[in-house]
Amino acid sequence: MPVKFNADGLRDSLAPLLAHGSLSAEAQAYRRFYGLDLPNLGKPLHSWLGRFQVAGFDIVSQVWCPPQPVATLFLVHGFYDHMGLFRHVVEWAVGLGFAVVSCDLPGHGLSSGERASIGDFGDYQQVLQGLFAEAAALGLPQPWHLMGQSTGGAIIIDHLLHDTAQSSPAQGEVVLLAPLVRPRAWGWSKLSYRLLNPFVSGIARRFSENTHDPAFMPFLMADPLQPARLPTAWVGALIRWVRHIEAAPPSTRTPLIVQGEQDLTVDWRYNLGVLRGKFPGAQVLMLPEARHHLANELPATRAQYFRFIEARLPARQL
């Protein structure tokens, strides 16, 4: 399928998210390419695409809203990813009657910023707070649930550990899919950063098979919004962030953690140890056959962890 959208041009053409602006032909082509118009949903849906500004970035965001939504799900994608890779999760949540709100992180997808880079993980917290503010202005219904994949999970972890349970506007369930605390081969990553950072700004990205879905990797390789480099600035920001998280006191929040045992992207054994210490009430679902990108694993795997989540949601929301 030919790609008929340009990221910078599309972003510049969008109205503010709060304006519920009509979509241009280019924006409609973008949504069709990633299936974000949810053609298989089979029920009425109001959805739109827009932007807002925060932390010096122009952030592109989307909302999907069924008639009379019963709750809201905030969906936060991972490193190198963008909203276009999460249609399965969006379709599941909308099918439960949830409004869904998401955005492309700085340097990802349609949002502005150096590709896949960040100066400080604190910028991600400002983006999450900006997304909360947009949702509040739109009147999206409580309770507000949080779901993050990988680095998206890291952003939510940071929020939970450094905002008190009472101060967070998101008082619903928290779901962490293959959450990042530190990546696999962390010692080598830090050594490489120290050796390379004085001389280069980034290295070529290596793509890996991170799901069992045979269609996902070809789609990823053809995705026009995929970054081609790993910036050293992002690695430096991650090193500082890991120390920040490991020094944080425990939280009373009780996230649901879903982790694949064939994940070769994050150091999941170490990460689960840290997260069980930070969130003593966490519930963990281990998936022996799953790899890292759980949002795009095989349908049977997705169905398994969706059932796990649904069993822990209040009955009145199902």
Side-chain angles (χ1 to χ4, degrees):
M1 176 181 177
V3 180
K4 297 182 178 178
F5 61 87
N6 171 271
D8 292 340
L10 177 50
R11 179 177 66 249
D12 292 342
S13 73
L14 293 174
L17 185 67
L18 300 182
H20 295 234
S22 59
L23 296 181
S24 66
E26 189 176 29
Q28 292 178 47
Y30 156 81
R31 283 163 61 85
R32 284 194 303 270
F33 182 80
Y34 294 107
L36 297 177
D37 51 351
L38 306 186
N40 300 320
L41 187 62
K43 62 170 60 179
L45 178 70
H46 178 42
S47 64
W48 68 98
L49 180 68
R51 57 179 175 162
F52 63 92
Q53 293 185 334
V54 66
F57 299 103
D58 212 6
I59 300 297
V60 176
S61 179
Q62 295 185 71
V63 176
W64 297 262
C65 195
Q68 300 179 328
V70 298
T72 300
L73 177 69
F74 290 79
L75 180 57
V76 189
H77 68 74
F79 185 55
Y80 290 139
D81 288 345
H82 56 86
M83 294 180 289
L85 303 182
F86 286 78
R87 64 182 178 88
H88 299 307
V89 175
V90 175
E91 190 171 72
W92 163 76
V94 170
L96 293 179
F98 293 175
V100 180
V101 58
S102 187
C103 71
D104 287 339
L105 294 172
H108 292 76
L110 299 177
S111 291
S112 69
E114 182 183 349
R115 292 298 86 186
S117 191
I118 204 75
D120 190 292
F121 268 42
D123 291 347
Y124 292 145
Q125 292 305 304
Q126 293 187 58
V127 172
L128 182 61
Q129 293 296 334
L131 201 59
F132 288 158
E134 296 290 303
L138 288 166
L140 296 182
Q142 294 276 0
W144 287 0
H145 305 300
L146 302 175
M147 177 182 281
Q149 161 86 36
S150 194
T151 296
I155 294 166
I156 292 172
I157 290 165
D158 196 349
H159 171 70
L160 298 181
L161 292 177
H162 294 97
D163 282 61
T164 66
Q166 294 73 30
S167 68
S168 172
Q171 293 294 316
E173 291 292 343
V174 176
V175 182
L176 307 174
L177 302 179
L180 171 70
V181 175
R182 70 183 191 189
R184 189 167 174 261
W186 183 227
W188 173 249
S189 297
K190 290 192 292 183
L191 176 61
S192 299
Y193 171 77
R194 288 195 293 268
L195 293 174
L196 294 174
N197 186 52
F199 307 106
V200 300
S201 61
I203 59 174
R205 175 186 177 183
R206 292 185 297 174
F207 287 84
S208 60
E209 293 278 355
N210 56 8
T211 85
H212 288 92
D213 184 345
F216 182 63
M217 185 56 64
F219 182 84
L220 198 68
M221 298 299 291
D223 181 2
L225 296 181
Q226 286 300 307
R229 290 174 61 78
L230 168 62
T232 53
W234 190 88
V235 179
L238 175 62
I239 291 171
R240 295 189 296 274
W241 179 83
V242 170
R243 292 196 293 263
H244 171 69
I245 291 302
E246 291 180 338
S251 168
T252 59
R253 297 297 294 265
T254 56
L256 309 177
I257 303 173
V258 183
Q259 179 61 59
E261 294 185 34
Q262 294 185 24
D263 188 334
L264 298 179
T265 300
V266 298
D267 187 352
W268 58 267
R269 291 179 177 85
Y270 175 85
N271 295 350
L272 288 179
V274 171
L275 294 176
R276 284 185 169 116
K278 300 299 182 184
F279 305 103
Q283 298 182 58
V284 180
L285 173 66
M286 300 301 301
L287 299 173
E289 304 301 321
R291 292 177 176 164
H292 180 65
H293 210 298
L294 294 173
N296 283 283
E297 259 295 357
L298 291 170
T301 301
R302 297 198 306 267
Q304 184 178 352
Y305 70 73
F306 286 154
R307 288 193 299 269
F308 170 78
I309 298 166
E310 289 171 26
R312 288 152 180 82
L313 292 170
R316 60 186 171 80
Q317 292 180 31
L318 298 176

